Amino acid sequence: MNYANYNAIFNCCFKLKHRFRQNFLCNCVNEYSSRLYRSFYTSQKVTQAQKDTVAILPTPQEVSIILRKNEFNKDFAEGPIKSYDSNQLASNDPIEDTRSEGICKMTPGVLMGVFDGHGGPACAQVISKRLLNYIAAALLPLHILQKFIKEPQEKKLLETLNDKVEIVEDLRLLYENSFKRYLLELLEEFRDINDVRSSLEKGIMKLDNDISREVVEPHKSSSILNSKTLSVALSGAVACVSHIDGPHLSVANVGDCNAVLGTLTEENEWIAKKITREHNSENFDELKRIWNEHPDEERRTVIRRDRLLGELAPLRSMGDYRYKWSVETLNNVAVPLIGQKAIPPNYLTPPYLTALPDIYYHRLTPKDKFLIIASDGLWDMMTPLQAVKLVGEHMKGKVFFNPLKLPRKNIQLGDINELLLHRKESLKSKPKDKNAATHLIRHAIGGTEYGVDHSRLAHLLSLTPDVSRMFRDDMTVTVIYFDSEFIRQCPA
């Protein structure tokens, strides 16, 4: 069987898997949740005996409060980005997804990333705080890099947006020293051309290397600090980071997050262009790469149950040094703290894992209206085209959140009446949420063929984390809107 047939089979399997999951969710949620969930909204008047058998579902208003808790919006005064919406909804406790956004201050461009953690939140949280700075530094021209190294406190590399994560003091000092060391490495390795592609790759790979080095180098001298850095290195995260500069869109992807472009045709039809490709067992090229990197005798063990060494679902990630370090290093730094489980089964020819990103480029046109970057918690629940159509419909209905403005002075009463009637009719399409990321999450959890089912949505939002993970993952969504007029005026 040739590779084309393999790819066709994998695509078919993905569609069947998606359909099975949606049907399973629709058929089982009421049965499971009625037996297993505890509501966060219980009545004060219910007796203790009743509390053991009765749960009060959140109202539509309470559902909206839950969904909107982490939403954020930012408008831009100029440039290719008009605005962006972001939101997160936890399934794990604590949530293992993170996100970060920043405006480059010393070079042109905006960086936005989504990070999906696993094995705990530590790695994803650290990456969200550090990675954009590593990329921004790699983008610096030589003369600016030299000046920044001499006077690092004079200017900031990034203006971060919606940054709520704080790093503890001892790790913060360690990370600052690592970053200074990284800047000197950039200077030593500098090439004449620092393009966006190489900068994205360099930032990701250098940070991943630092996550390892911060454990391996000081492990004998600082056991307390080592336990913190080790938790970062042994947990992991996949990443999807975009850099937008004028009409130039570059996306770096490691793992199974995805970036999807929403394009409006001349016929006013929405097209979903999937920019990225997941690094998982459904990507046959990725399977071939891993098989080719290890002896033929390991073909049955290197990928088992659609996972790396039978354990890890993403086939590329940052952190996850259980699958990168040598056996000797694992025995030295990990086994003393967490035991022999630190070494995976059939761990014969490491490394098995890489953080090397795939880099994608797309030149934006006025037809490209928005970009959706999201963790697989969203993409497990809806297809790229469904997501694009939902955001497209949301764009149309979103205008009715704004007050009515008359199109001109001295307008006739009849024209005003016609305008009001049109607005009244159009208000039927007004979405519940002003934030497009919230709109996507609402439909991902509660969406049916006939719209959002409040009962299903309320049930799923009431599940405790141990049960919730049976039905959905953490969700992180960023929707970036482009300024079509700005892009139209960009030189070819």
Side-chain angles (χ1 to χ4, degrees):
M1 184 180 293
N2 61 33
Y3 293 147
N5 290 337
Y6 271 120
N7 286 329
I9 291 171
F10 273 107
N11 289 334
C12 181
C13 289
F14 173 77
K15 293 176 182 177
L16 290 172
K17 174 185 172 184
H18 176 76
R19 188 177 302 167
F20 172 79
R21 179 161 185 162
Q22 292 286 67
N23 290 339
F24 175 82
L25 186 59
C26 292
N27 295 335
C28 296
V29 64
N30 290 331
E31 177 186 349
Y32 270 87
S33 57
S34 64
R35 291 189 287 113
L36 296 174
Y37 77 86
R38 296 197 304 273
S39 174
F40 294 118
Y41 300 88
T42 52
S43 172
Q44 298 289 336
K45 298 180 181 180
V46 178
T47 66
Q48 187 60 47
Q50 288 174 316
K51 284 182 181 179
D52 292 337
T53 57
V54 176
I56 309 301
L57 289 176
T59 65
Q61 292 75 20
E62 290 167 336
V63 163
S64 291
I65 289 171
I66 297 170
L67 291 176
R68 295 170 185 169
K69 180 181 177 183
N70 297 310
E71 67 181 11
F72 179 80
N73 168 264
K74 168 72 176 176
D75 294 320
F76 290 78
E78 57 183 1
I81 301 176
K82 188 180 293 184
S83 65
Y84 81 91
D85 294 344
S86 71
N87 199 358
Q88 291 184 284
L89 183 69
S91 182
N92 294 290
D93 185 18
I95 187 171
E96 295 181 342
D97 279 10
T98 55
R99 35 126 301 275
S100 57
E101 304 87 40
I103 302 170
C104 297
K105 302 299 290 181
M106 303 178 76
T107 57
V110 178
L111 288 163
M112 298 194 180
V114 166
F115 315 101
D116 184 353
H118 46 263
C123 187
Q125 288 179 353
V126 165
I127 289 170
S128 73
K129 288 294 289 186
R130 302 175 70 184
L131 180 57
L132 298 195
N133 276 294
Y134 271 61
I135 295 170
L139 288 164
L140 296 176
L142 179 58
H143 68 285
I144 297 179
L145 176 60
Q146 291 171 328
K147 186 176 181 180
F148 184 73
I149 290 173
K150 291 179 181 178
E151 304 169 351
Q153 305 302 323
E154 296 298 318
K155 288 187 177 181
K156 291 171 56 179
L157 279 173
L158 285 170
E159 176 191 341
T160 55
L161 308 169
N162 193 29
D163 183 5
K164 298 177 181 178
V165 176
E166 291 295 333
I167 301 294
V168 294
E169 181 70 10
D170 50 359
L171 285 180
R172 185 176 62 80
L173 294 173
L174 174 66
Y175 294 159
E176 286 175 0
N177 290 331
S178 290
F179 190 67
K180 292 175 184 176
R181 180 171 169 171
Y182 164 65
L183 291 173
L184 294 174
E185 290 175 358
L186 287 179
L187 190 60
E188 290 175 5
E189 301 169 1
F190 195 86
R191 299 291 181 268
D192 291 338
I193 299 176
N194 257 12
D195 62 357
V196 174
R197 171 180 289 272
S198 64
S199 298
L200 286 167
E201 181 178 314
K202 192 177 299 180
I204 289 170
M205 295 302 289
K206 290 285 190 180
L207 176 55
D208 193 56
N209 289 337
D210 278 355
I211 288 171
S212 170
R213 183 182 53 76
E214 289 156 359
V215 177
V216 174
E217 285 188 358
H219 79 92
K220 292 181 180 179
S221 59
S222 179
S223 59
I224 295 176
L225 182 59
N226 191 56
S227 66
K228 295 177 182 177
T229 55
L230 186 63
S231 70
V232 175
L234 294 185
S235 59
V238 297
C240 187
V241 181
S242 70
H243 178 271
I244 302 164
D245 174 18
H248 306 294
L249 168 65
S250 300
V251 180
N253 191 56
V254 182
D256 53 10
C257 293
N258 273 310
V260 173
L261 193 66
T263 301
L264 190 62
T265 68
E266 298 287 352
E267 294 76 28
N268 284 326
E269 293 183 357
W270 286 105
I271 294 174
K273 180 176 181 180
K274 191 176 172 190
I275 302 289
T276 51
R277 192 177 179 199
E278 301 96 327
H279 299 126
N280 58 25
S281 61
E282 291 165 359
N283 181 341
F284 189 67
D285 290 334
E286 193 68 4
L287 293 179
K288 286 189 295 176
R289 178 188 67 80
I290 293 173
W291 286 328
N292 290 336
E293 289 176 356
H294 300 277
D296 289 342
E297 309 87 79
E298 293 188 61
R299 188 157 180 120
R300 292 187 177 181
T301 58
V302 67
I303 302 292
R304 294 175 56 242
R305 300 190 298 275
D306 293 332
R307 292 170 177 261
L308 186 69
L309 297 175
E311 294 185 348
L312 190 66
L315 302 183
R316 298 191 201 185
S317 71
M318 301 182 71
D320 281 319
Y321 269 89
R322 286 182 64 233
Y323 309 97
K324 297 175 182 177
W325 281 329
S326 66
V327 173
E328 180 184 4
T329 302
L330 284 170
N331 276 318
N332 287 338
V333 303
V335 171
L337 286 176
I338 65 173
Q340 286 299 320
K341 65 181 181 180
I343 304 176
N346 302 301
Y347 199 70
L348 306 174
T349 56
Y352 288 89
L353 190 65
T354 181
L356 182 67
D358 280 337
I359 313 293
Y360 304 87
Y361 172 79
H362 175 81
R363 194 186 195 286
L364 296 169
T365 73
K367 296 178 183 179
D368 299 322
K369 302 302 180 183
F370 54 82
L371 179 72
I372 306 169
I373 308 176
S375 59
D376 67 344
L378 179 80
W379 304 119
D380 283 345
M381 308 295 276
M382 63 173 58
T383 66
L385 184 57
Q386 287 173 327
V388 164
K389 286 184 175 180
L390 282 167
V391 175
E393 292 167 2
H394 185 269
M395 284 178 63
K396 182 180 178 182
K398 186 178 177 180
V399 297
F400 300 106
F401 283 109
N402 302 321
L404 175 65
K405 291 184 179 180
L406 298 180
R408 62 184 184 278
K409 293 181 179 180
N410 303 321
I411 188 171
Q412 299 294 317
L413 286 176
D415 293 333
I416 293 175
N417 183 60
E418 186 176 337
L419 191 64
L420 290 171
L421 289 173
H422 174 73
R423 184 177 176 87
K424 181 180 178 181
E425 181 65 24
S426 299
L427 279 170
K428 294 176 182 177
S429 64
K430 177 181 175 180
K432 287 183 178 293
D433 305 294
K434 190 172 183 178
N435 186 295
T438 310
H439 183 70
L440 283 175
I441 292 172
R442 184 186 292 273
H443 280 78
I445 299 173
T448 69
E449 294 180 50
Y450 310 103
V452 175
D453 182 336
H454 168 71
S455 176
R456 174 181 169 184
L457 187 58
H459 273 88
L460 284 169
L461 291 177
S462 300
L463 300 174
T464 53
D466 56 329
V467 180
S468 176
R469 287 293 286 113
M470 298 171 62
F471 297 99
R472 63 176 182 86
D473 199 354
D474 298 329
M475 292 185 189
T476 298
V477 182
T478 299
V479 181
I480 305 160
Y481 293 100
F482 300 120
D483 187 328
S484 299
E485 192 56 38
F486 179 93
I487 293 170
R488 181 177 287 107
Q489 294 175 11
C490 289

